[in-house]
Amino acid sequence: MTSERKSARQRGGRPELAASELPFDFLESKIRAPVVRPEAVRRTGLVNRLRAATTVSVTTVVAPAGYGKTTLLAQWAERDGRRFAWVTLDARDNDPVVLLRHISAALEHDEALPQALIGALMTPGPSIWTAALPRLAEELARRGPIVLVLDDFNVLRSRESLETVRALIEDEVEGSMLVVAGRTSPRLPLARLRAGGMLLELVTPELAMTKREAQLLLRATGVRLSDARAAELVEQCEGWPAALYLAALSIRDGRQTGRDQTRLGGDDRYLADYFRSEYLSYLRPEGLAFLRRTSVLERMCGPLCSAVLQEEGAGEELEKIERANLFLVPLDNRRIWYRYHHLFRDLLQRELAEHEPGLLAELHGRAADWFQAYGDDESALEHAYAGGDLERSAPILARIVLLLYYSGRITTLERWLKRFDRPALLERHPEVALLGCGIHAARGRPKHAQRWLDAASRGRFRGKLPDGSPSIGVWAAVLRAWLCRNGAEPMLADAEAAVAELPEGSNMRPSALVAQGAALMLLADFEHADAVLAAASELAAAQGSIEAAVIAIAERSLIASELGDHKLADELAEEAQRLVTRNRVAGYPARALDSASTARRMIRHGRWNEARAALSAGQEVVPFLTVALPWLAVQVRLELARGLVTLRDADTAQQLLNEAQDLLQRVPGLDTLAAKAHELQREVDVMPAPTGARRVGLTPAELRLLPLLATHLSFREIAEQLYISRNTIKTQAISVYRKLGVSSRSAAIAEAQRLGLEDHLRVVVTDGSEVLSRFTQVGR
């Protein structure tokens, strides 16, 4: 050893080595850990995880190019107290002699090799196994604990070199570690190591950047984005560091040229060049064709790919792609279903459109065939749409409209219905037009609902309806009943005609029964209405039509209240509320009727705060109950107004009554509701004039808070009472103080008394007992 090298080691340095210092050839650049650039994002969490891994014998870091594998390991080497030996592998290391020499040269970098090992490495032939390999293992053990990093391990394919690495693992000393990093899973005895708890695996999802790391990377390139935009970019790139970096370059270039990049896609020129140079350029034509053609699939499995490509062996091809770590993401633990990385799929779809545009519709059609054969109508519909086949899409959509609506997936449903929003298409597919009419009506769009119903009436349906109904006229009768354009009696006639003709298992039948029950209720035939609604709720629940079940049950609760059976009314209201909460029902009609029946129940038991909460919830959805469903819009407004009259909120009750009267003037034949509106108006007319609360501008929410300010409850406890956040309570309290011109709770109560708001200071707490605040008691 030269004095210069000794001096360097004594100073703690690692001197440059020349190839001549060892009697065999090696590449100096392959045995040095890369220098970490100052601007590189620190992967602190992952580095700390690697530093803590002192009991495993093998660590694998496997991900596609651009996930920062090498940078992560270099950062780890800088911070770990153990010795590191680093080898960046290439194709020449498939010769075990070359591999062993590079590993030995990496060790020489830190401390001189023993002559016996050098001599064994210089002897060709079988001695590589009998002398060189055992002596290298012995040297590694002597220097332990040591971390041996073999980067780009995916280039190692020869059986001899892989056997060499396996042998080094077998002879590894406790505390030492072999680290293999590459694009593909290494062909090593990982299952045994995993079972023995001796393996640490870092894979693509764990190497994906967090939102914070992405922001740091973007700033390092001179790009600053809002947190929301950075989060969106991370989601688009799925945390892939290379994509984030290339996106930053694209955004920066766009700003410099006045073309700000708003959304990143796989066809971005930086990303496209990267994909092509790193991956696509190395593929055989048949492999590239497989990727392009299967890019029409959002998710895929072997049989599906075989059906789409009309080729056998697609499953084996997927396995090859997965082994190559070619941006294929497994969707289950059994390795059956996969998807492509979103950006990679974007590029492949662009490639398909450029090179084989005529295949697109055919590929989507085959995919639709496969999904439909396996009972996945939703996926079949997506592919039928993507292939531009609306004729095929219509019957599939008609089968699943109600299922999607009742499951709360209204946004998806409306996106699909929008494709048919042309008169010619609606007339050609009246079954879709009728179902769309119902959705538009439930969402409060009267013009859309009527337009789709009119189109359906002009159309002619050929074929069999999904539910087995004998004609399109049966469905039209259900929709006419719900839209109730001419009053309660025609509504009942349409509903009864539909119920008589609809098959027992039809998913339209619960809606028809609800319409029939509602019409009977509007005609004051309460007992008959209750029986029909009971049948409707039972059938709806059995079919999974939760919203129809909620409407039927809530209506029954309101009928029981009218008939004076308060016990049954309470039970039904509780059941409706449970269904809404458990199933997160999103439909406006169901939520509105649930709020109305709940408010009645709470008022009956003097639970004023909960009654106010239910009435507020009902008022939130009232704007969506329009003349599209006039009977329901009027009924709900009257029910909420009734509750507000009981709580002495005359102004809000009057507003709802005005809206109900306007609707009643536009739709004839709702005499029972008109009589109720007249009766309620008389009650509002005799209520006292607005109190001081009106004069100081307290909102309903602030009036709801006022009595609770008059108790010993803290803001946190008040928040729990009203089911809202503590911050909201604090904000409302500050607003109350400002409007009353005070700065404390006690002063607010005193001022409320001066304004004559004693009734508003009464509060019912959770146990149902009515109390007056200590401030009120002191004030009196």
Side-chain angles (χ1 to χ4, degrees), residues 513-533:
L513 288 168
V514 168
Q516 182 185 7
L520 289 165
M521 184 174 63
L522 294 173
L523 295 169
D525 189 350
F526 294 125
E527 291 185 2
H528 190 187
D530 183 68
V532 172
L533 290 169

Side-chain angles (χ1 to χ4, degrees), residues 378-587:
E378 189 174 333
S379 296
L381 179 60
E382 288 284 13
H383 283 288
Y385 273 150
D389 191 349
L390 290 180
E391 296 301 316
R392 180 178 191 165
S393 303
I396 301 175
L397 180 57
R399 273 199 303 275
I400 64 177
V401 162
L402 293 179
L403 292 175
L404 288 171
Y405 179 75
Y406 289 136
S407 67
R409 296 183 54 204
I410 297 169
T411 302
T412 298
L413 179 56
E414 292 188 330
R415 173 171 60 85
W416 284 339
L417 287 170
K418 193 174 182 180
R419 306 270 186 116
F420 288 87
D421 197 2
R422 297 198 298 274
L425 278 174
L426 292 175
E427 290 174 23
R428 193 154 68 244
H429 301 289
E431 75 281 24
V432 173
L434 286 171
L435 291 165
C437 164
I439 301 304
H440 286 307
R443 302 297 285 173
R445 306 186 192 108
K447 291 181 180 178
H448 285 71
Q450 190 62 52
R451 180 164 56 82
W452 283 51
L453 180 60
D454 292 343
S457 65
R458 294 191 300 269
R460 290 185 178 180
F461 179 79
R462 295 178 180 85
K464 186 178 181 181
L465 286 165
D467 67 340
S469 292
S471 72
I472 199 71
V474 183
W475 283 19
V478 178
L479 270 299
R480 285 197 306 271
W482 274 82
L483 267 57
C484 187
R485 290 287 175 262
N486 300 304
E489 290 187 359
M491 177 183 180
L492 178 61
D494 281 325
E496 287 179 337
V499 169
E501 291 193 59
L502 282 168
E504 288 298 322
S506 169
N507 57 5
M508 293 287 281
R509 194 171 181 83
S511 294
L513 288 168
V514 168
Q516 182 185 7
L520 289 165
M521 184 174 63
L522 294 173
L523 295 169
D525 189 350
F526 294 125
E527 291 185 2
H528 190 187
D530 183 68
V532 172
L533 290 169
S537 65
E538 184 177 348
L539 180 60
Q543 290 188 357
S545 304
I546 302 302
E547 181 165 351
V550 169
I551 293 172
I553 294 166
E555 291 283 25
R556 290 190 66 207
S557 174
L558 295 174
I559 289 174
S561 294
E562 290 290 331
L563 297 176
D565 190 344
H566 299 314
K567 182 176 183 295
L568 177 60
D570 285 351
E571 290 173 355
L572 291 168
E574 288 179 22
E575 184 180 354
Q577 190 175 41
R578 275 197 305 271
L579 283 174
V580 168
T581 304
R582 185 190 311 141
N583 297 280
R584 299 181 181 179
V585 173

